[in-house]
Amino acid sequence: QVQLVESGGGLVQPGGSLRLACAASGFSLANHVLGWFRQAPGKEREGISFINNRDDDIYYIDSVKGRFTVSRDNAKNTVYLQMNALKPEDSAIYYCAAGPVATILSKFYRTWGQGTQVTVSS
């Protein structure tokens, strides 16, 4: 069964850090682009980052650039999103998705995880 499972979300104070993991089963992430998306209540889903299959094309939206870092561990078939200096506006459900195209556009991603909640609050 082709599946992505996110983990690592939770409640953190402003300025804190979290590391999200996206573990794949049923297929190899090494052959796919992996994107990270988030959706806050009342807002549209937003693409925030992607990493291509060769790890030589990595993208971040401006609002997370310098604070978030995406990486992959092909041996564990897992991609990570390290989030530092978190802000209340980072609060959202975070999703990972796999696809064939290095893009931030969600329509090109075929396999999605179920999401993990990140809440940044004091």
Side-chain angles (χ1 to χ4, degrees):
Q1 181 181 2
V2 172
Q3 192 174 10
L4 290 173
V5 178
E6 300 99 336
S7 61
L11 173 64
V12 64
Q13 292 186 342
S17 298
L18 284 173
R19 188 177 78 156
L20 305 184
C22 174
S25 59
F27 70 106
S28 174
L29 279 178
N31 301 321
H32 292 77
V33 176
L34 199 288
W36 285 98
F37 299 81
R38 65 186 180 187
Q39 188 166 20
K43 295 187 177 181
E44 293 188 355
R45 184 170 52 192
E46 174 184 44
I48 59 173
S49 179
F50 68 76
I51 181 169
N52 74 341
N53 59 322
R54 296 181 302 277
D55 296 355
D56 60 3
D57 187 4
I58 299 175
Y59 170 85
Y60 304 96
I61 59 170
D62 286 347
S63 61
V64 307
K65 199 174 296 182
R67 300 188 298 122
F68 290 12
T69 303
V70 62
S71 62
R72 79 165 72 221
D73 184 338
N74 288 334
K76 295 183 178 180
N77 212 20
T78 299
V79 175
Y80 301 96
L81 184 67
Q82 177 68 44
M83 305 187 296
N84 298 328
L86 283 161
K87 305 174 182 180
E89 52 263 43
D90 294 318
S91 297
I93 299 175
Y94 282 70
Y95 300 89
C96 63
V101 181
T103 176
I104 207 62
L105 298 177
S106 60
K107 65 180 182 180
F108 291 100
Y109 288 84
R110 299 172 179 171
T111 304
W112 289 79
Q114 83 290 350
T116 186
Q117 177 71 49
V118 172
T119 303
V120 185
S121 174
S122 55

